[in-house]
PDB file of all heavy atoms in Angstrom:
ATOM      1  N   ASN B 114      14.777  -9.699   4.966  1.00 91.00           N
ATOM      2  CA  ASN B 114      15.101 -10.713   3.951  1.00 91.00           C
ATOM      3  C   ASN B 114      16.529 -11.213   3.916  1.00 91.00           C
ATOM      4  O   ASN B 114      16.783 -12.325   3.500  1.00 91.00           O
ATOM      5  CB  ASN B 114      14.913 -10.089   2.562  1.00 91.00           C
ATOM      6  CG  ASN B 114      13.550 -10.307   2.012  1.00 91.00           C
ATOM      7  OD1 ASN B 114      12.818 -11.132   2.526  1.00 91.00           O
ATOM      8  ND2 ASN B 114      13.221  -9.576   0.981  1.00 91.00           N
ATOM      9  N   ASN B 115      17.459 -10.315   4.162  1.00 94.00           N
ATOM     10  CA  ASN B 115      18.853 -10.622   3.848  1.00 94.00           C
ATOM     11  C   ASN B 115      19.754  -9.794   4.765  1.00 94.00           C
ATOM     12  O   ASN B 115      19.277  -8.884   5.466  1.00 94.00           O
ATOM     13  CB  ASN B 115      19.126 -10.322   2.370  1.00 94.00           C
ATOM     14  CG  ASN B 115      18.838  -8.867   2.006  1.00 94.00           C
ATOM     15  OD1 ASN B 115      19.044  -7.980   2.819  1.00 94.00           O
ATOM     16  ND2 ASN B 115      18.364  -8.638   0.801  1.00 94.00           N
ATOM     17  N   PRO B 116      21.033 -10.071   4.805  1.00 95.00           N
ATOM     18  CA  PRO B 116      21.912  -9.352   5.731  1.00 95.00           C
ATOM     19  C   PRO B 116      21.902  -7.835   5.534  1.00 95.00           C
ATOM     20  O   PRO B 116      21.989  -7.086   6.518  1.00 95.00           O
ATOM     21  CB  PRO B 116      23.285  -9.969   5.435  1.00 95.00           C
ATOM     22  CG  PRO B 116      22.964 -11.375   5.024  1.00 95.00           C
ATOM     23  CD  PRO B 116      21.713 -11.240   4.195  1.00 95.00           C
ATOM     24  N   THR B 117      21.770  -7.360   4.297  1.00 97.00           N
ATOM     25  CA  THR B 117      21.728  -5.904   4.082  1.00 97.00           C
ATOM     26  C   THR B 117      20.547  -5.287   4.814  1.00 97.00           C
ATOM     27  O   THR B 117      20.685  -4.289   5.538  1.00 97.00           O
ATOM     28  CB  THR B 117      21.631  -5.590   2.571  1.00 97.00           C
ATOM     29  OG1 THR B 117      22.753  -6.152   1.910  1.00 97.00           O
ATOM     30  CG2 THR B 117      21.572  -4.085   2.337  1.00 97.00           C
ATOM     31  N   GLN B 118      19.380  -5.875   4.620  1.00 98.00           N
ATOM     32  CA  GLN B 118      18.194  -5.339   5.295  1.00 98.00           C
ATOM     33  C   GLN B 118      18.248  -5.566   6.800  1.00 98.00           C
ATOM     34  O   GLN B 118      17.669  -4.797   7.565  1.00 98.00           O
ATOM     35  CB  GLN B 118      16.923  -5.956   4.709  1.00 98.00           C
ATOM     36  CG  GLN B 118      16.661  -5.506   3.276  1.00 98.00           C
ATOM     37  CD  GLN B 118      15.497  -6.251   2.654  1.00 98.00           C
ATOM     38  OE1 GLN B 118      14.510  -6.536   3.310  1.00 98.00           O
ATOM     39  NE2 GLN B 118      15.615  -6.581   1.385  1.00 98.00           N
ATOM     40  N   ILE B 119      18.913  -6.629   7.220  1.00 98.00           N
ATOM     41  CA  ILE B 119      19.088  -6.854   8.654  1.00 98.00           C
ATOM     42  C   ILE B 119      19.887  -5.702   9.265  1.00 98.00           C
ATOM     43  O   ILE B 119      19.561  -5.207  10.351  1.00 98.00           O
ATOM     44  CB  ILE B 119      19.791  -8.206   8.897  1.00 98.00           C
ATOM     45  CG1 ILE B 119      18.809  -9.352   8.682  1.00 98.00           C
ATOM     46  CG2 ILE B 119      20.428  -8.273  10.292  1.00 98.00           C
ATOM     47  CD1 ILE B 119      17.715  -9.492   9.729  1.00 98.00           C
ATOM     48  N   GLY B 120      20.913  -5.245   8.556  1.00 98.00           N
ATOM     49  CA  GLY B 120      21.671  -4.100   9.052  1.00 98.00           C
ATOM     50  C   GLY B 120      20.779  -2.869   9.181  1.00 98.00           C
ATOM     51  O   GLY B 120      20.838  -2.143  10.181  1.00 98.00           O
ATOM     52  N   ALA B 121      19.945  -2.648   8.163  1.00 98.00           N
ATOM     53  CA  ALA B 121      19.040  -1.493   8.211  1.00 98.00           C
ATOM     54  C   ALA B 121      18.054  -1.627   9.369  1.00 98.00           C
ATOM     55  O   ALA B 121      17.778  -0.669  10.093  1.00 98.00           O
ATOM     56  CB  ALA B 121      18.297  -1.360   6.882  1.00 98.00           C
ATOM     57  N   ALA B 122      17.535  -2.826   9.552  1.00 98.00           N
ATOM     58  CA  ALA B 122      16.584  -3.047  10.646  1.00 98.00           C
ATOM     59  C   ALA B 122      17.254  -2.837  11.992  1.00 98.00           C
ATOM     60  O   ALA B 122      16.672  -2.235  12.910  1.00 98.00           O
ATOM     61  CB  ALA B 122      15.994  -4.460  10.537  1.00 98.00           C
ATOM     62  N   ALA B 123      18.483  -3.311  12.118  1.00 98.00           N
ATOM     63  CA  ALA B 123      19.206  -3.146  13.387  1.00 98.00           C
ATOM     64  C   ALA B 123      19.442  -1.674  13.701  1.00 98.00           C
ATOM     65  O   ALA B 123      19.446  -1.268  14.871  1.00 98.00           O
ATOM     66  CB  ALA B 123      20.531  -3.908  13.335  1.00 98.00           C
ATOM     67  N   ALA B 124      19.614  -0.862  12.637  1.00 98.00           N
ATOM     68  CA  ALA B 124      19.851   0.576  12.841  1.00 98.00           C
ATOM     69  C   ALA B 124      18.645   1.267  13.464  1.00 98.00           C
ATOM     70  O   ALA B 124      18.756   2.381  13.970  1.00 98.00           O
ATOM     71  CB  ALA B 124      20.233   1.238  11.524  1.00 98.00           C
ATOM     72  N   LEU B 125      17.490   0.618  13.406  1.00 98.00           N
ATOM     73  CA  LEU B 125      16.281   1.191  14.006  1.00 98.00           C
ATOM     74  C   LEU B 125      16.159   0.832  15.489  1.00 98.00           C
ATOM     75  O   LEU B 125      15.216   1.250  16.161  1.00 98.00           O
ATOM     76  CB  LEU B 125      15.044   0.723  13.239  1.00 98.00           C
ATOM     77  CG  LEU B 125      15.029   1.101  11.747  1.00 98.00           C
ATOM     78  CD1 LEU B 125      13.851   0.423  11.052  1.00 98.00           C
ATOM     79  CD2 LEU B 125      14.954   2.619  11.557  1.00 98.00           C
ATOM     80  N   ALA B 126      17.118   0.021  15.979  1.00 97.00           N
ATOM     81  CA  ALA B 126      17.205  -0.296  17.402  1.00 97.00           C
ATOM     82  C   ALA B 126      16.013  -1.051  17.984  1.00 97.00           C
ATOM     83  O   ALA B 126      15.499  -0.709  19.053  1.00 97.00           O
ATOM     84  CB  ALA B 126      17.474   0.977  18.220  1.00 97.00           C
ATOM     85  N   PRO B 127      15.587  -2.114  17.323  1.00 98.00           N
ATOM     86  CA  PRO B 127      14.603  -3.000  17.946  1.00 98.00           C
ATOM     87  C   PRO B 127      15.322  -3.875  18.977  1.00 98.00           C
ATOM     88  O   PRO B 127      16.554  -3.845  19.074  1.00 98.00           O
ATOM     89  CB  PRO B 127      14.117  -3.854  16.773  1.00 98.00           C
ATOM     90  CG  PRO B 127      15.333  -3.983  15.912  1.00 98.00           C
ATOM     91  CD  PRO B 127      16.043  -2.639  16.019  1.00 98.00           C
ATOM     92  N   ASP B 128      14.550  -4.690  19.718  1.00 98.00           N
ATOM     93  CA  ASP B 128      15.208  -5.643  20.621  1.00 98.00           C
ATOM     94  C   ASP B 128      15.922  -6.734  19.830  1.00 98.00           C
ATOM     95  O   ASP B 128      16.984  -7.196  20.229  1.00 98.00           O
ATOM     96  CB  ASP B 128      14.170  -6.251  21.568  1.00 98.00           C
ATOM     97  CG  ASP B 128      13.614  -5.210  22.508  1.00 98.00           C
ATOM     98  OD1 ASP B 128      14.403  -4.595  23.242  1.00 98.00           O
ATOM     99  OD2 ASP B 128      12.399  -4.961  22.479  1.00 98.00           O
ATOM    100  N   ALA B 129      15.316  -7.134  18.721  1.00 98.00           N
ATOM    101  CA  ALA B 129      15.931  -8.181  17.899  1.00 98.00           C
ATOM    102  C   ALA B 129      15.529  -8.010  16.449  1.00 98.00           C
ATOM    103  O   ALA B 129      14.560  -7.304  16.141  1.00 98.00           O
ATOM    104  CB  ALA B 129      15.501  -9.568  18.394  1.00 98.00           C
ATOM    105  N   VAL B 130      16.283  -8.654  15.598  1.00 98.00           N
ATOM    106  CA  VAL B 130      15.940  -8.768  14.184  1.00 98.00           C
ATOM    107  C   VAL B 130      15.850 -10.254  13.858  1.00 98.00           C
ATOM    108  O   VAL B 130      16.447 -11.083  14.547  1.00 98.00           O
ATOM    109  CB  VAL B 130      17.001  -8.101  13.280  1.00 98.00           C
ATOM    110  CG1 VAL B 130      16.996  -6.591  13.464  1.00 98.00           C
ATOM    111  CG2 VAL B 130      18.390  -8.672  13.554  1.00 98.00           C
ATOM    112  N   ALA B 131      15.072 -10.569  12.815  1.00 97.00           N
ATOM    113  CA  ALA B 131      14.964 -11.971  12.390  1.00 97.00           C
ATOM    114  C   ALA B 131      15.213 -12.041  10.901  1.00 97.00           C
ATOM    115  O   ALA B 131      14.578 -11.327  10.127  1.00 97.00           O
ATOM    116  CB  ALA B 131      13.577 -12.524  12.712  1.00 97.00           C
ATOM    117  N   VAL B 132      16.129 -12.886  10.513  1.00 95.00           N
ATOM    118  CA  VAL B 132      16.447 -13.011   9.092  1.00 95.00           C
ATOM    119  C   VAL B 132      15.608 -14.143   8.499  1.00 95.00           C
ATOM    120  O   VAL B 132      15.583 -15.260   9.015  1.00 95.00           O
ATOM    121  CB  VAL B 132      17.955 -13.223   8.853  1.00 95.00           C
ATOM    122  CG1 VAL B 132      18.461 -14.486   9.520  1.00 95.00           C
ATOM    123  CG2 VAL B 132      18.277 -13.230   7.367  1.00 95.00           C
ATOM    124  N   GLU B 133      14.903 -13.791   7.428  1.00 89.00           N
ATOM    125  CA  GLU B 133      13.998 -14.722   6.746  1.00 89.00           C
ATOM    126  C   GLU B 133      14.435 -14.861   5.299  1.00 89.00           C
ATOM    127  O   GLU B 133      13.880 -14.187   4.434  1.00 89.00           O
ATOM    128  CB  GLU B 133      12.582 -14.150   6.715  1.00 89.00           C
ATOM    129  CG  GLU B 133      11.955 -13.772   8.021  1.00 89.00           C
ATOM    130  CD  GLU B 133      10.626 -13.052   7.782  1.00 89.00           C
ATOM    131  OE1 GLU B 133      10.645 -11.915   7.259  1.00 89.00           O
ATOM    132  OE2 GLU B 133       9.593 -13.625   8.115  1.00 89.00           O
ATOM    133  N   PRO B 134      15.376 -15.726   5.004  1.00 79.00           N
ATOM    134  CA  PRO B 134      15.769 -15.881   3.599  1.00 79.00           C
ATOM    135  C   PRO B 134      14.570 -16.353   2.772  1.00 79.00           C
ATOM    136  O   PRO B 134      13.948 -17.369   3.125  1.00 79.00           O
ATOM    137  CB  PRO B 134      16.852 -16.957   3.644  1.00 79.00           C
ATOM    138  CG  PRO B 134      17.305 -17.014   5.075  1.00 79.00           C
ATOM    139  CD  PRO B 134      16.119 -16.614   5.888  1.00 79.00           C
ATOM    140  N   PRO B 135      14.218 -15.626   1.711  1.00 75.00           N
ATOM    141  CA  PRO B 135      13.019 -15.980   0.935  1.00 75.00           C
ATOM    142  C   PRO B 135      13.020 -17.431   0.479  1.00 75.00           C
ATOM    143  O   PRO B 135      11.965 -18.078   0.443  1.00 75.00           O
ATOM    144  CB  PRO B 135      13.084 -15.032  -0.266  1.00 75.00           C
ATOM    145  CG  PRO B 135      13.897 -13.875   0.196  1.00 75.00           C
ATOM    146  CD  PRO B 135      14.880 -14.431   1.187  1.00 75.00           C
ATOM    147  N   GLU B 136      14.181 -17.964   0.173  1.00 73.00           N
ATOM    148  CA  GLU B 136      14.210 -19.332  -0.374  1.00 73.00           C
ATOM    149  C   GLU B 136      13.881 -20.385   0.681  1.00 73.00           C
ATOM    150  O   GLU B 136      13.575 -21.533   0.355  1.00 73.00           O
ATOM    151  CB  GLU B 136      15.565 -19.631  -1.024  1.00 73.00           C
ATOM    152  CG  GLU B 136      16.757 -19.507  -0.108  1.00 73.00           C
ATOM    153  CD  GLU B 136      17.339 -18.076  -0.064  1.00 73.00           C
ATOM    154  OE1 GLU B 136      16.602 -17.089  -0.306  1.00 73.00           O
ATOM    155  OE2 GLU B 136      18.522 -17.962   0.243  1.00 73.00           O
ATOM    156  N   LEU B 137      13.909 -20.001   1.957  1.00 73.00           N
ATOM    157  CA  LEU B 137      13.636 -20.982   3.013  1.00 73.00           C
ATOM    158  C   LEU B 137      12.220 -20.880   3.571  1.00 73.00           C
ATOM    159  O   LEU B 137      11.737 -21.804   4.222  1.00 73.00           O
ATOM    160  CB  LEU B 137      14.633 -20.808   4.168  1.00 73.00           C
ATOM    161  CG  LEU B 137      16.096 -21.035   3.816  1.00 73.00           C
ATOM    162  CD1 LEU B 137      16.955 -20.924   5.069  1.00 73.00           C
ATOM    163  CD2 LEU B 137      16.314 -22.396   3.151  1.00 73.00           C
ATOM    164  N   ILE B 138      11.571 -19.739   3.322  1.00 68.00           N
ATOM    165  CA  ILE B 138      10.266 -19.527   3.939  1.00 68.00           C
ATOM    166  C   ILE B 138       9.279 -20.594   3.483  1.00 68.00           C
ATOM    167  O   ILE B 138       9.074 -20.796   2.298  1.00 68.00           O
ATOM    168  CB  ILE B 138       9.729 -18.125   3.593  1.00 68.00           C
ATOM    169  CG1 ILE B 138      10.600 -17.059   4.270  1.00 68.00           C
ATOM    170  CG2 ILE B 138       8.288 -17.972   4.022  1.00 68.00           C
ATOM    171  CD1 ILE B 138      10.236 -15.648   3.895  1.00 68.00           C
TER     172      ILE B 138
END
Side-chain angles (χ1 to χ4, degrees):
Chain B
N114 268 346
N115 58 34
T117 301
Q118 292 173 38
I119 284 290
L125 301 172
D128 294 302
V130 292
V132 60
E133 304 172 292
E136 59 272 27
L137 298 184
I138 292 175

